[in-house]
Amino acid sequence: MKLKVSQYIIFLFVTIFSYTISMVKLPPSIGEVEAERVEQKEQTSQSNPTQFIADSIKIAQGSPPTSLNASTIPESVEIVSDGTQLQWEWQGDTYNINVNELNVRLMDSIDPETYNPTEKVMRGQRFVRDNISVDPETGNIAVGVVLDYFAATNFSAVFIIDPQPGAYAIYRVQVPGSQPLPDEFSTYSLDTIGYVGFLEGDLLIKHGDASGTTALLVFKPANTPAMNYAGCVDLQIGESRSVCPLNK
């Protein structure tokens, strides 16, 4: 009888001990912890995908490099060498551009022999003094250039210079006309340029002819520094009906 009781007590003790071991949760391994985190992320992405994507973008973007905060506004921009050079300082270096480097296809030039309108690639002859402007938002330089003078008419254009490290890019401000412009290297001409300036990101150009007719052209920011034509208003009417594009 005593033997049976002893065997029963031992059996009961083993049973209770095994049950206790099964109820104690051992610390999870590293692999189990990582698996649990992955599962939680998957559940988060399914329950709130917008927040999950936002968190991913936030991690990927990080902080912008410090080089993007460097000054991009050129200094001491002026016309030198009797109107044939444009000079500026940018990030400690001095840059010069000769006016004959600036060329454009003029859609309404005049053949000097026949006096007929003609399309012609022309180079700058001189910069228009006191007609330089620097956009404080982009650092781009706008400058007026005389291309030719014929039959009491100036043939002029405005160019945008985009300063870059060790170099610069040249863009042509495109004045519309009677026909669509074939490419970004073409424009219809301006006459005598009286003012070039940036105002809150827009480019304003005042020009007029020998009769005293003047107009103000407006160009809006676009995908390139060349900008897009936005409109024109006549400021003063002389003998000419208008010097706005499409109204000549």
Side-chain angles (χ1 to χ4, degrees):
M1 183 67 180
K2 290 182 179 180
L3 179 61
K4 289 183 178 181
V5 171
S6 300
Q7 289 176 344
Y8 177 78
I9 292 173
I10 293 172
F11 173 78
L12 182 61
F13 177 80
V14 171
T15 303
I16 294 173
F17 180 79
S18 300
Y19 179 77
T20 303
I21 291 296
S22 65
M23 293 298 292
V24 174
K25 186 175 182 180
L26 297 176
S29 65
I30 295 177
E32 291 173 337
V33 172
E34 187 63 28
E36 184 177 354
R37 289 177 179 174
V38 171
E39 183 179 358
Q40 290 176 351
K41 284 184 178 181
E42 290 177 350
Q43 292 175 353
T44 302
S45 65
Q46 293 173 359
S47 62
N48 191 352
T50 302
Q51 183 61 42
F52 180 75
I53 293 172
D55 291 341
S56 301
I57 293 174
K58 193 179 299 180
I59 293 172
Q61 285 180 338
S63 300
T66 55
S67 60
L68 293 181
N69 298 323
S71 174
T72 58
I73 307 301
E75 301 175 347
S76 303
V77 183
E78 59 180 342
I79 295 171
V80 297
S81 302
D82 295 327
T84 61
Q85 281 192 338
L86 179 67
Q87 179 177 285
W88 69 93
E89 294 181 7
W90 194 68
Q91 296 186 349
D93 294 322
T94 300
Y95 296 83
N96 289 281
I97 180 171
N98 293 321
V99 70
N100 58 14
E101 293 182 50
L102 306 179
N103 61 75
V104 64
R105 179 184 291 109
L106 211 60
M107 304 301 295
D108 56 350
S109 181
I110 296 178
D111 187 325
E113 296 183 358
T114 64
Y115 280 69
N116 293 327
T118 184
E119 176 185 325
K120 183 179 180 182
V121 175
M122 306 186 73
R123 292 185 175 275
Q125 299 298 315
R126 62 178 176 85
F127 290 105
V128 182
R129 291 192 179 277
D130 302 323
N131 280 281
I132 315 170
S133 184
V134 179
D135 187 349
E137 298 180 8
T138 65
N140 293 335
I141 304 169
V143 60
V145 175
V146 175
L147 304 169
D148 197 7
Y149 180 80
F150 182 75
T153 301
N154 277 307
F155 294 88
S156 306
V158 173
F159 291 80
I160 302 290
I161 311 299
D162 178 14
Q164 300 174 3
Y168 48 82
I170 300 171
Y171 296 87
R172 296 128 184 103
V173 176
Q174 295 188 284
V175 178
S178 58
Q179 299 294 327
L181 297 173
D183 52 43
E184 68 270 26
F185 306 105
S186 306
T187 185
Y188 281 84
S189 69
L190 298 166
D191 203 316
T192 302
I193 298 176
Y195 173 81
V196 174
F198 286 102
L199 178 63
E200 297 182 352
D202 297 337
L203 177 64
L204 309 180
I205 301 173
K206 178 183 177 182
H207 84 122
D209 62 12
S211 77
T213 301
T214 59
L216 186 69
L217 287 72
V218 180
F219 293 81
K220 306 289 288 185
N223 295 330
T224 71
M227 313 188 75
N228 284 341
Y229 175 73
C232 177
V233 57
D234 287 306
L235 301 177
Q236 183 174 334
I237 301 298
E239 296 179 7
S240 303
R241 183 172 64 89
S242 174
V243 289
C244 279
L246 308 179
N247 293 329
K248 297 180 180 179

